[in-house]
Amino acid sequence: MSYSITEPSRAQKWMAGILVVAYAVITLLPLIWIIATGFKSPSDSIAYPPKLFFTPTLEGYVNLFTTRTRQTAEFLAANPPQTWYQEIVAKYGMVIAGPSRFGERFLNSVIIGFGSTFLSVFLGTLAAYAFSRFKVPLKDDLLFFILSTRMMPPIAVAIPIFLMFRQLGLSDTHLGMILLYTAVNLSLAVWLLKGFIDEIPREYEEAALIDGYTRFQAFRKVVLPQAATGIASTAIFCLIFAWNEYAFAVLLTSGNAQTAPPFIPTIIGVGGQDWPAVAAGATLFLLPVMVFTILLRKHLLRGITFGAVRK
Amino acid sequence: MAEITLSGITKRFGPITALDDVSLTVPDGAFVVLLGPTGAGKTTLLRLVSGLDQPDAGRVQIGGQDVSTATPAQRNVAMVFQQYSLYPHLTVRQNLEFPLKSPLLRLPPEQIARKVGEVAEVLQITHKLDNKATALSGGEMQRVSIGRALVRNPAAYLMDEPLSSLDAKLRADLRIELKRIQHDMGATFLYVTHDQIEAMTMATHVGVLDHGRLVQFGPPRQIYEDPVSIHAASRLGQPRINILPATLFGPAPAGAAHIGLRPEQIRQGEGEDSFVRRVEHLGDQTRLHLSFHNHDLITVTDAHTGLKSGDIVRIRPEKPLYFDASGARIHQE
Ligand SMILES: Nc1ncnc2c1ncn2[C@@H]1O[C@H](COP(=O)(O)OP(=O)(O)OP(=O)(O)O)[C@@H](O)[C@H]1O
Ligand SMILES: [Mg+2]
């Protein structure tokens, strides 16, 4: 008996290990830099060579969430800081004037990102199921058409969309952005999900139909649970696109529905180059996608279930 | 329980005609076994009755109602698939409960639990109830899939080779159990098998399919003793009926091209000499592989036979069957 796969040698294992670690360091370095800078003071953040060890401070986060004004020494003496964050800004001779817009923008990102992800996955699953199971007239042409919407960069149609949105009153609205991101994501969602649903044998639904369920109930009770892996990975892809999208957000939103990506760079402008605040914003911005991915990891890792259909 | 009537059913898949003008009545409370070689259209027929597929022509009636346009759920039949498709994301118990929790039935929980318990008992899978459906052996999966049909009380049971991957003992137990269900509860069965014993012991009627056509329908003994064609005659009988040139043993009726001899139609110790090529002791029967005028045939003999290969044994046909060149039966007056 012969095996084509041989146990790697010691040296090969070491090589592989070194490569993986090197790759991890290279990819994680910017991330670590961002997270670390978020906890530096402004002077530490621009120190050269970059400081590996520093006294962590929440200044960046305070600056991110607040707007501040400079005050005279007398005013500061008369109104001593009440809280830890007032204390931080007082060191620079400032008082907190109010909250910044970061919270709002972040919330916009959450609404638009998750809203469009939900809609893309919801519509995508229904469409993928129909394409996978039913005789749809012109099925191949339709599928190709859906895919072709992804063949050019979405921003290529920026001007017509800009005009359309203005005409329809969708400019700078949550609904407009949700619809736009859904439209962009839908082709990816349909194709990804169709692949997953094609893999689920029809016999399960047929068994459910015989067991007294309607087509839709069979879909919900039998197909959806087995498509969970596909739905989870599709949702992550959709969220990553919608969450990170910058160009349309700059073009179509300015206030009410502005998302975090176009907002974060504007932080720099507020009172000099406030790198810790920018880094803090970027760090917080990374969190939702990370948390979402970790939450769905169970479904991603849970392989497709084989074995209950006799081939 | 209900009668099933198929009238003029035709089903095509592209160029293939899977079923060709099939008409068939499964009487209320009958146990109809479908026989036919692979690709004959047995599964297709069950799928048309269940409503999973629609015929290109013809009508399906269940309990006197035309169900041609009804959904599978409305037809209220239970089906055991050839590919026993258990729901892989559910446990064995949940698989068995699934039909009982359907919007069609909405049974109270204690009734569901009782029914599932009973069926699990019958199928000897009680100890596996909390297993994932994927963590079962092939035979166990097959039993769960039978169980999913038996928990219900449908108009008819459709079963596609349900006992094929079970061991001999379990198969014998379940044969008796299915027969009991049919007998005691008056259940109607439409049942596909390749197994001789299942067909002979369970069937009240046998239907023989050949390339999508129903060539014979009747009680199993009739199919066995009075087949309409070589094809029908070959479906039953272990070892298979021997088909030889009609005149090998002497004069044959007009038009006969083949003579068909089942083992019991070969009288040993009389007639002409044949050469024993091989003796097979199968336990429950002993087979003789004979060579007669350069033609091979197989028959059975006494378990304690002294015959061995190289011996000569005389044989003579007794009440043989004759078939014409197309394989159709020729009846002698
Ligand atoms: N969905 C389908 N698409 C195309 N052809 C099909 C389809 N289902 C069945 N057929 C064809 O119809 C014919 C009958 O198939 P069927 O499955 O009914 O055979 P069967 O008698 O059940 O055979 P087996 O004993 O192997 O299960 C075969 O020639 C098969 O290839
Ligand atoms: Mg079949």
Side-chain angles (χ1 to χ4, degrees):
Chain A
M1 210 176 231
S2 70
Y3 293 96
S4 56
I5 299 169
T6 53
E7 177 75 2
S9 74
R10 248 184 120 72
Q12 281 170 320
K13 279 185 184 171
W14 269 100
M15 275 296 290
I18 290 168
L19 276 175
V20 168
V21 170
Y23 180 73
V25 168
I26 291 167
T27 46
L28 287 179
L29 212 56
L31 199 66
I32 293 166
W33 184 82
I34 289 277
I35 294 171
T37 307
F39 290 103
K40 286 181 180 176
S41 65
S43 51
D44 280 349
S45 76
I46 51 170
Y48 190 85
K51 282 195 180 176
L52 280 181
F53 301 98
F54 56 90
T55 329
T57 157
L58 284 173
E59 256 174 64
Y61 287 87
V62 172
N63 291 355
L64 177 67
F65 281 101
T66 59
T67 54
R68 301 156 302 280
T69 49
R70 192 163 292 285
Q71 280 296 345
T72 56
E74 299 82 59
F75 180 89
L76 286 169
N79 301 281
Q82 307 286 315
T83 59
W84 61 268
Y85 45 89
Q86 287 174 346
E87 207 162 306
I88 286 175
V89 295
K91 275 191 291 188
Y92 294 90
M94 300 210 277
V95 293
I96 289 170
S100 77
R101 293 194 173 275
F102 181 75
E104 259 169 57
R105 302 305 194 240
F106 195 83
L107 189 64
N108 284 344
S109 265
V110 169
I111 293 169
I112 292 167
F114 284 88
S116 75
T117 298
F118 173 79
L119 207 56
S120 307
V121 171
F122 177 75
L123 296 175
T125 308
L126 294 182
Y129 181 74
F131 277 124
S132 172
R133 295 296 197 258
F134 300 133
K135 277 206 185 91
V136 180
L138 299 177
K139 181 192 281 188
D140 292 342
D141 302 284
L142 278 173
L143 277 170
F144 179 77
F145 170 73
I146 290 172
L147 184 67
S148 71
T149 61
R150 248 322 178 41
M151 287 181 181
M152 59 183 179
I155 201 69
V157 288
I159 292 172
I161 286 181
F162 179 78
L163 296 174
M164 237 158 67
F165 267 46
R166 208 173 53 180
Q167 206 66 34
L168 295 171
L170 287 173
S171 297
D172 204 17
T173 62
H174 294 94
L175 179 67
M177 295 313 284
I178 289 175
L179 289 179
L180 178 66
Y181 290 166
T182 303
V184 175
N185 270 334
L186 204 52
S187 64
L188 177 78
V190 170
W191 272 82
L192 272 179
L193 285 164
K194 180 173 177 295
F196 281 101
I197 292 175
D198 282 344
E199 292 293 307
I200 303 171
R202 287 161 185 257
E203 279 89 351
Y204 299 133
E205 289 143 83
E206 293 186 337
L209 292 180
I210 301 262
D211 283 345
Y213 293 79
T214 64
R215 175 61 79 165
F216 183 72
Q217 289 160 341
F219 169 74
R220 206 165 53 84
K221 297 224 167 211
V222 177
V223 179
L224 277 191
Q226 294 184 70
T229 307
I231 291 174
S233 34
T234 307
I236 288 171
F237 279 120
C238 290
L239 181 69
I240 288 174
F241 169 80
W243 189 257
N244 293 343
E245 206 286 327
Y246 179 77
F248 278 119
V250 169
L251 188 72
L252 298 174
T253 65
S254 46
N256 178 38
Q258 193 183 43
T259 53
F263 176 76
I264 289 172
T266 65
I267 302 168
I268 293 182
V270 185
Q273 290 178 339
D274 195 351
W275 291 112
V278 174
T283 305
L284 290 182
F285 182 70
L286 289 172
L287 276 180
V289 175
M290 261 162 67
V291 170
F292 189 64
T293 310
I294 290 167
L295 283 180
L296 293 186
R297 195 181 47 172
K298 182 175 71 123
H299 293 289
L300 293 181
L301 295 182
R302 202 199 64 184
I304 299 155
T305 39
F306 291 110
V309 168
R310 184 174 57 173
K311 289 276 151 57
Chain B
M1 293 301 141
E3 176 185 271
I4 301 172
T5 308
L6 308 181
S7 352
I9 292 285
T10 297
K11 176 70 182 174
R12 290 184 207 89
F13 295 105
I16 301 165
T17 304
L19 288 175
D20 187 3
D21 195 19
V22 171
S23 296
L24 167 77
T25 299
V26 181
D28 188 5
F31 199 117
V32 171
V33 166
L34 290 176
L35 293 177
T38 179
K42 306 179 295 295
T43 300
T44 307
L45 193 132
L46 293 196
R47 290 176 60 90
L48 291 174
V49 173
S50 70
L52 290 175
D53 284 330
Q54 298 298 326
D56 295 310
R59 281 188 310 139
V60 179
Q61 284 167 289
I62 297 176
Q65 300 268 313
D66 190 332
V67 293
S68 299
T69 56
T71 64
Q74 289 166 338
R75 296 186 190 201
N76 187 27
V77 292
M79 184 155 161
V80 178
F81 288 78
Q82 194 170 5
Q83 291 85 3
Y84 28 85
S85 17
L86 305 185
Y87 307 117
H89 57 296
L90 302 179
T91 63
V92 169
R93 186 192 304 281
Q94 290 168 324
N95 264 277
L96 292 175
E97 288 171 343
F98 199 78
L100 299 176
K101 289 190 166 167
S102 84
L104 217 61
L105 294 175
R106 296 198 186 286
L107 292 183
E110 57 284 356
Q111 206 171 329
I112 292 179
R114 189 171 51 75
K115 196 78 204 160
V116 167
E118 280 172 20
V119 167
E121 193 80 28
V122 165
L123 296 167
Q124 306 170 28
I125 42 174
T126 310
H127 58 297
K128 297 280 179 177
L129 274 177
D130 294 309
N131 272 37
K132 258 253 142 72
T134 42
L136 294 179
S137 77
E140 287 162 349
M141 285 187 194
Q142 195 160 35
R143 278 178 278 160
V144 177
S145 124
I146 298 170
R148 219 170 47 190
L150 294 187
V151 290
R152 287 169 59 192
N153 199 5
Y157 293 103
L158 312 174
M159 298 195 174
D160 203 345
E161 302 185 34
L163 308 184
S164 61
S165 57
L166 303 181
D167 63 55
K169 157 107 177 47
L170 208 51
R171 206 186 269 223
D173 289 353
L174 288 183
R175 247 183 356 240
I176 292 165
E177 185 58 33
L178 292 180
K179 196 61 190 166
R180 188 189 64 72
I181 291 170
Q182 182 239 342
H183 193 265
D184 296 358
M185 307 177 30
T188 308
F189 278 81
L190 188 51
Y191 190 100
V192 172
T193 184
H194 288 287
D195 185 276
Q196 154 106 9
I197 301 175
E198 284 174 36
M200 294 305 289
T201 61
M202 300 165 87
T204 58
H205 307 70
V206 170
V208 180
L209 280 172
D210 179 16
H211 289 95
R213 278 175 303 109
L214 184 70
V215 292
Q216 192 168 10
F217 186 76
R221 286 191 66 94
Q222 184 194 332
I223 308 286
Y224 185 82
E225 290 167 5
D226 194 16
V228 298
S229 66
I230 293 179
H231 178 89
S234 306
R235 300 274 66 83
L236 292 175
Q238 290 286 344
R240 271 166 66 130
I241 187 167
N242 295 288
I243 302 294
L244 300 161
T247 55
L248 194 62
F249 295 92
H258 307 282
I259 182 171
L261 293 172
R262 295 195 189 276
E264 65 274 18
Q265 295 169 318
I266 300 174
R267 171 70 65 92
Q268 293 167 30
E270 295 172 28
E272 295 181 65
D273 284 354
S274 73
F275 176 74
V276 179
R277 288 187 297 119
R278 203 142 57 88
V279 183
E280 276 181 332
H281 293 279
L282 299 183
D284 60 336
Q285 60 174 225
T286 301
R287 290 187 181 178
L288 283 183
H289 292 248
L290 302 175
S291 188
F292 184 84
H293 291 305
N294 289 328
H295 290 276
D296 292 342
L297 56 133
I298 301 172
T299 186
V300 295
T301 191
D302 184 49
H304 305 289
T305 182
L307 288 171
K308 51 191 188 312
S309 79
D311 287 355
I312 300 293
V313 63
R314 285 191 298 172
I315 55 168
R316 176 172 73 73
E318 192 173 47
K319 296 192 208 142
L321 307 175
Y322 288 101
F323 303 95
D324 70 14
S326 70
R329 176 84 181 282
I330 292 177
H331 286 273
Q332 300 154 270
E333 291 76 43

